[in-house]
């Protein structure tokens, strides 16, 4: 396993020198300043890499090995006329990254919104803060703030009544905060953030786009990208839709084992791979994570290790739990990833799996500091330390 750590660039409050102290060896990052659809030039990549890899003599070096993510322009997802130039640009960025030695690329195909949460500071019983997705709050946003056309058809009468009472109990500031959290609040998102009017317009673009159409747009994109990726030895790692289900009337097509199966069966290629985001997939109860880790082992190039705790009464609501104390059996997931690495040992060019502690609680000195939601220093360090312990213990047993 290669321990990696996500870094958002020179403005990230967790610095490269601090990351060095965690013991991680690899950096996961992106040229966040380049607008979606534009080419990442070799010069830009090299100078970013230099910042990451600069190291005083005698200090432990860090390497930029994983990209998360090259954004996929909305026009590609919609297969709009003229989208081909964005596909070309995406391929050129990938070629430039490969030329600079960065060969594992995470990406996603989520329309309009990237990952989303309703609460960025959910207080845990121990006093730390976690991210949370609350389904009734989300419905309150959809029905009464966004007032999406025909949204009420997607909710039961009880759900509408519950959402109404949630909405009525929020003051203006809380409504604004909720809106901001959902459409503009999270770091690392690969879609633009919008005001509410633009957001409505963006959603309207997908009015007639079914899951089947979106899937075929993903497949046509990959049909163009994969041959080049293969030639360069690049590993693509699709990230699931988070939360993994349709929302706001948008189709979401990377949510389950069945979605992955069709992706890999349709386009078999050593470069067509996935990010096993344990937290995302496990936020729906019908995904069995240790089984998925075993089933898709050869395609897993990257893994985000974290878990959620779902509400017993409303399984679509969850908060992000401690890395080893969520609804998912993290030890068994790691065991399956280690088994996959052992299987790879006999292959030529066998590669280790990049893992990173995904999202951490805001705790101790993180509290009161400006942090990127989910990307606190101490919270993630705790996650990494726990995961590292499991990896060490399991590896020794073998
Ligand atoms: C959140 C993340 C997402 C993810 C992108 C991948 O923490 O997992 O921002 O990076 O959706 O393309």
């Amino acid at each position: 396993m290669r321990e990696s750590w996500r870094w958002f660039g020179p403005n990230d409050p967790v610095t490269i020198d601090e990351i060095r102290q965690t013991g991680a060896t690899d950096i996961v990052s992106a040229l966040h300043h380049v607008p979606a659809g534009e080419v990442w030039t070799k010069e830009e990549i090299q100078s970013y890499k230099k910042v990451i890899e600069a190291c005083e003599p005698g200090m432990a070096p860090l390497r930029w090995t994983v990209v998360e993510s090259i954004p996929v322009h909305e026009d590609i997802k919609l297969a709009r006329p003229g989208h081909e130039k964005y596909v070309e640009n995406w391929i050129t960025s990938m070629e430039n990254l490969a030329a600079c030695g960065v060969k594992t690329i995470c990406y996603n195909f989520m329309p309009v919104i990237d990952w989303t949460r309703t609460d960025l500071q959910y207080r845990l019983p121990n006093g730390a803060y976690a991210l949370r997705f609350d389904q009734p709050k989300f419905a309150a946003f959809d029905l009464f703030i966004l007032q999406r056309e025909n949204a009420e058809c997607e909710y039961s009468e009880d759900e509408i009544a519950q959402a109404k009472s949630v909405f009525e109990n929020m003051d203006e500031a809380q409504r604004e905060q909720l809106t901001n959290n959902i459409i503009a609040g999270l770091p690392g998102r690969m879609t633009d953030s919008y005001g509410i009017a633009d957001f409505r317009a963006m959603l309207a673009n997908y009015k007639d786009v079914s899951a089947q159409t979106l899937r075929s747009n993903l497949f046509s994109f990959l049909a163009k990208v994969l041959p080049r990726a293969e030639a360069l030895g690049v590993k693509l790692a699709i990230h699931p839709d988070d939360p993994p289900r349709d929302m706001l009337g948008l189709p979401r097509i990377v949510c389950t084992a069945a979605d992955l199966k069709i992706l890999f069966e349709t386009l078999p290629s050593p470069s067509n791979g996935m990010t096993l985001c344990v937290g995302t997939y496990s936020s729906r109860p019908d995904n069995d994570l240790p089984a998925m880790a075993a089933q898709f082992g050869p395609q897993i190039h990257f893994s985000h290790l974290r878990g959620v705790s779902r509400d017993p009464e409303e399984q679509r609501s969850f908060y992000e739990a401690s890395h080893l104390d969520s609804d998912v059996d993290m030890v068994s997931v790691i065991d399956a990833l280690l088994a996959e690495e052992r299987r790879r040992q006999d292959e030529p060019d066998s590669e280790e799996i990049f893992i990173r502690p995904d999202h951490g609680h805001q705790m101790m000195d993180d509290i009161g500091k400006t942090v990127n939601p989910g990307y606190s220093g101490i919270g993630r360090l705790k996650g990494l330390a726990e995961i590292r312990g499991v990896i060490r213990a399991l590896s020794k047993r073998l």
Side-chain angles (χ1 to χ4, degrees), residues 13 23 47 60 68 117 138 162 172 177 329 384:
S47 73
E68 181 171 349
R117 299 289 182 269
F138 190 78
Q162 194 185 17
E172 256 328 296
Q177 178 76 66
D329 177 355
L384 177 60

Side-chain angles (χ1 to χ4, degrees), residues 20 39 52 96 150 172 200 221 241 267 297 359 395:
R20 206 186 309 283
V39 168
I52 292 172
N96 291 344
N150 295 328
E172 256 328 296
R200 285 197 189 100
F221 166 70
D241 304 344
L267 294 159
H359 306 176
S395 310

Side-chain angles (χ1 to χ4, degrees), residues 6 68-69 106-108 110 114-115 188 239 304 359 375:
R6 193 174 193 183
E68 181 171 349
S69 301
C106 170
Y107 70 103
N108 75 73
M110 288 180 246
D114 197 298
W115 64 300
H239 187 282
H304 291 172
H359 306 176
Y375 288 90

Side-chain angles (χ1 to χ4, degrees), residues 49-266:
K49 201 169 148 72
K50 250 196 197 148
V51 175
I52 292 172
E53 301 188 357
C55 182
E56 278 173 41
M59 303 296 277
L62 286 166
R63 290 189 56 210
W64 183 20
T65 35
V66 182
V67 167
E68 181 171 349
S69 301
I70 311 179
V72 176
H73 195 278
E74 285 294 298
D75 284 7
I76 300 179
K77 296 174 204 164
L78 289 160
R80 279 183 158 156
H83 74 281
E84 295 80 2
K85 83 164 181 287
Y86 292 120
V87 178
E88 280 311 312
N89 288 356
W90 205 97
I91 293 174
T92 308
S93 300
M94 173 179 80
E95 289 169 342
N96 291 344
L97 283 160
C100 299
V102 187
K103 292 194 171 187
T104 301
I105 301 179
C106 170
Y107 70 103
N108 75 73
F109 216 74
M110 288 180 246
V112 187
I113 43 172
D114 197 298
W115 64 300
T116 193
R117 299 289 182 269
T118 54
D119 301 83
L120 309 186
Q121 282 216 306
Y122 174 69
R123 193 151 200 257
L124 299 170
N126 66 8
Y129 296 91
L131 305 182
R132 174 170 166 83
F133 184 90
D134 184 274
Q135 176 61 24
K137 266 196 190 172
F138 190 78
F141 164 77
D142 191 10
L143 291 161
F144 302 109
I145 299 178
L146 182 63
Q147 298 176 6
R148 183 169 58 86
E149 211 184 320
N150 295 328
E152 59 287 352
C153 307
E154 290 161 34
Y155 297 93
S156 70
E157 269 175 36
D158 281 357
E159 286 170 339
I160 295 175
Q162 194 185 17
K164 189 153 191 253
S165 112
V166 169
F167 175 73
E168 283 168 355
N169 282 313
M170 281 190 290
D171 61 25
E172 256 328 296
Q174 287 168 322
R175 290 173 189 168
E176 212 174 288
Q177 178 76 66
L178 178 63
T179 305
N180 199 52
N181 291 351
I182 292 174
I183 69 177
L186 294 175
R189 58 191 305 128
M190 294 299 143
T191 51
D192 292 325
S193 51
Y194 327 91
I196 198 107
D198 293 339
F199 190 63
R200 285 197 189 100
M202 293 293 295
L203 292 177
N205 289 335
Y206 285 86
K207 221 167 123 219
D208 300 317
V209 179
S210 64
Q212 210 181 348
T213 305
L214 187 66
R215 201 183 302 278
S216 94
N217 295 348
L218 167 64
F219 291 176
S220 336
F221 166 70
L222 285 176
K224 294 184 201 119
V225 172
L226 286 170
R228 211 46 213 126
E230 261 181 59
L232 296 165
V234 165
K235 306 287 184 194
L236 299 182
I238 197 163
H239 187 282
D241 304 344
D242 181 6
R245 58 172 185 272
D246 294 353
M247 38 202 351
L248 303 174
L250 296 166
R252 312 250 276 179
I253 53 166
V254 190
C255 302
T256 61
D259 292 336
L260 291 167
K261 194 161 175 280
I262 189 169
L263 167 66
F264 299 133
E265 281 176 2
T266 310

